[in-house]
């Protein structure tokens, strides 16, 4: 792990909570960036994304085990129209009945993997990501108390697994590559984990958390 980050679960959780304490759910897409793109955003890239994306939210579930923090991820069902078979966070579109991104993320998480919201303590929000399939997605970061049971909706999710947060925050596990979006080449990062491969918007959201935590305390933008 980067030397600037604490290694113990309680200290790392405290840092995440401190960095997200004043975060607020976005009111629009003005802060949204193309999912997974790490380079400075070029207007040519933004033109390739849908002009009127649908608002959505995902839960970034960080499980607080006694031995350390881990991130709970899903493997999407292989028959889905969008992002089939990819590694993802539980979540989906924000419905009119939802009070906002937090409500949508918790509802979708219960529906997709059966994780009850009573086990989740929301810490805050990361900046939203634009997804090429037509969504702008707000990541809702929440700490999950162990002891939960999962019931997967197999129409949407094939499986779930956990990755140690220390592994995700270790720069040695970040794989930079060039990606073509239309006629534009941009730098993105992937995070391989055993036989699984975390990439795209999911990796971009995890990298956004990494960058937020790696900033010097005096340079945090809330």
């Amino acid at each position: 792990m980067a030397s600037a980050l604490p290694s113990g679960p309680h200290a790392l959780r405290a840092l995440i909570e401190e960095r997200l304490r004043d975060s607020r759910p976005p009111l629009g897409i003005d802060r949204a960036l193309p999912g997974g793109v790490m380079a400075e955003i070029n207007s040519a890239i933004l033109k390739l994304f849908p002009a009127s994306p649908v608002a959505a939210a995902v839960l970034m579930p960080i499980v607080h085990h006694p031995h350390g923090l881990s991130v709970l991820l899903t493997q999407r069902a292989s028959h889905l129209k969008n992002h089939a078979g990819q590694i993802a966070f539980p979540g989906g579109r924000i419905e009119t009945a939802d009070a906002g991104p937090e409500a949508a993320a918790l509802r979708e998480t219960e529906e997709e993997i059966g994780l009850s919201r009573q086990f989740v303590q929301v810490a805050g929000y990361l900046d939203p990501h634009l997804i090429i399939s037509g969504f702008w997605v707000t990541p809702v970061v929440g700490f999950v108390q162990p002891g939960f049971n999962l019931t997967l909706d197999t129409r949407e999710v094939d499986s779930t697994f956990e990755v140690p947060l220390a592994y995700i925050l270790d720069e040695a596990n970040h794989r930079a590559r060039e990606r073509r979006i239309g006629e534009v080449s941009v730098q993105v990062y992937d995070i391989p984990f055993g036989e699984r491969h975390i990439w795209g918007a999911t990796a971009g959201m995890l990298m956004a958390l990494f960058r937020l935590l790696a900033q010097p305390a005096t340079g945090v933008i809330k």
Side-chain angles (χ1 to χ4, degrees):
M1 181 183 295
S3 59
L5 301 179
S7 58
H10 295 289
L12 184 53
R13 174 171 179 164
L15 177 62
I16 295 171
E17 290 175 331
E18 189 274 325
R19 296 293 168 96
L20 293 175
R21 184 169 296 125
D22 296 328
S23 63
R24 296 290 183 269
L27 299 177
I29 65 172
D30 56 300
R31 299 206 321 259
L33 299 178
V37 175
M38 303 296 295
E40 182 177 353
I41 302 306
N42 186 303
S43 59
I45 300 174
L46 293 175
K47 291 178 181 178
L48 299 173
F49 285 76
S52 300
V54 177
V58 296
L59 181 67
M60 183 183 287
I62 302 177
V63 186
H64 192 154
H65 296 290
H67 60 273
L69 306 181
S70 66
V71 178
L72 177 64
L73 293 160
T74 73
Q75 181 100 38
R76 289 173 61 81
S78 58
H79 62 266
L80 292 175
K81 178 181 178 181
N82 293 321
H83 314 293
Q86 292 184 11
I87 305 302
F89 294 114
R93 69 176 61 214
I94 300 175
E95 304 291 352
T96 54
D98 294 321
E102 177 181 331
L106 293 174
R107 174 184 56 77
E108 286 280 350
T109 297
E110 287 185 324
E111 292 174 359
E112 287 185 15
I113 63 174
L115 175 60
S116 173
R117 65 188 67 197
Q118 73 183 45
F119 289 92
V120 182
Q121 180 180 345
V122 171
Y125 307 86
L126 297 174
D127 283 344
H129 284 59
L130 283 170
I131 310 299
I132 200 72
S133 56
F135 297 89
W136 67 282
V137 183
T138 299
V140 180
V141 181
F143 288 99
V144 181
Q145 175 186 346
F148 56 86
N149 293 309
L150 300 181
T151 303
L152 308 188
D153 181 350
T154 55
R155 295 171 299 176
E156 297 193 45
V157 177
D158 276 345
S159 62
T160 62
F161 64 100
E162 294 183 31
V163 182
L165 183 56
Y167 179 94
I168 290 170
L169 298 179
D170 188 340
E171 292 181 85
N173 298 319
H174 304 163
R175 301 286 185 269
R177 64 180 172 88
E178 294 296 313
R179 179 188 174 190
R180 297 286 296 182
I181 301 180
E183 298 301 317
V184 182
S185 180
V186 295
Q187 179 175 274
V188 299
Y189 280 90
D190 300 339
I191 307 174
F193 180 69
E195 297 181 352
R196 302 184 190 264
H197 195 71
I198 305 169
W199 65 285
T202 303
M205 294 173 191
L206 291 170
M207 291 298 298
L209 177 65
F210 165 74
R211 295 196 307 275
L212 178 68
L213 300 180
Q215 291 179 15
T218 55
V220 175
I221 300 175
K222 297 294 184 72

